[in-house]
Amino acid sequence: GESVGLHLPTLSVQEGDNSIINCAYSNSASDYFIWYKQESGKGPQFIIDIRSNMDKRQGQRVTVLLNKTVKHLSLQIAATQPGDSAVYFCAEIFTSGTYKYIFGTGTRLKVLA
Amino acid sequence: DGGITQSPKYLFRKEGQNVTLSCEQNLNHDAMYWYRQDPGQGLRLIYYSQIVNDFQKGDIAEGYSVSREKKESFPLTVTSAQKNPTAFYLCASSPLALEYGYTFGSGTRLTVV
């Protein structure tokens, strides 16, 4: 919702620059990860995913990097645009046995004109 | 277009009142979920359902109730027992295989007046 981003860390980026948003995940057994984008007053939207047997995956203008050694995930957005302004959060998923889906708290991305 | 619809977008509840949030999907997804979103926190799972007429409590089920009489519908009732109901509520659906991620609704903002 509109107030979700108020207490979140904020990354301010100049339009046209690249953005890097980071996420630390909690469980080394997580085998699937997703980045979501949430615009003000809307539900989260899927951006890109990556499995634990990969360390990098590229989409259109976005790249996700996975470092399992330090349990770190990053989202890189190339040539950031005003429409990229939103809250971004990661999700880690255990897909074997009793599944669990854990969401990070998010980072607010502000694109400066 | 296939999607997931939440209504209403904004809802106001008086003290001691029960209110019901609607969630409908036409994606033919088996699983449906309710999450609560508060400022500065990750999404927290309230209830989920993987099959009609069956549902399980999530991490913060107290003060909430759900039903799953139809595959397409998963309404959430916020009861008077929920002491701090003001939040943004998100409904999501997914195939049973979580590798496909969630599709989220646009959310309902509930405010106690």
Side-chain angles (χ1 to χ4, degrees), chain A residues 1-8 32 34 36 38 41-46 49 51 89 93-95 98-101 103-105, chain B residues 9-10 31 33 35 37-45 48 50 59 88 90 96 98-107 109:
Chain A
E2 294 84 348
S3 63
V4 166
L6 286 180
H7 305 280
L8 298 175
Y32 182 53
I34 301 176
Y36 286 94
Q38 186 176 20
K42 297 183 179 179
Q45 292 178 290
F46 175 99
D49 60 354
R51 295 190 179 281
F89 54 89
I93 301 104
F94 319 154
T95 60
T98 303
Y99 80 91
K100 195 165 179 66
Y101 209 114
F103 291 93
T105 54
Chain B
K9 187 170 176 66
Y10 299 97
Y33 314 82
Y35 282 89
Q37 190 173 37
D38 294 283
Q41 297 193 39
L43 298 180
R44 293 184 291 166
L45 182 63
Y48 67 99
Q50 295 180 301
D59 301 317
F88 191 59
L90 285 162
L96 281 178
L98 277 182
E99 288 87 346
Y100 299 98
Y102 288 173
T103 300
F104 283 92
S106 56
R109 180 81 189 158

Side-chain angles (χ1 to χ4, degrees), chain A residues 29-41:
Chain A
S30 294
D31 50 3
Y32 182 53
F33 304 87
I34 301 176
W35 277 101
Y36 286 94
K37 172 186 180 183
Q38 186 176 20
E39 296 175 273
S40 182

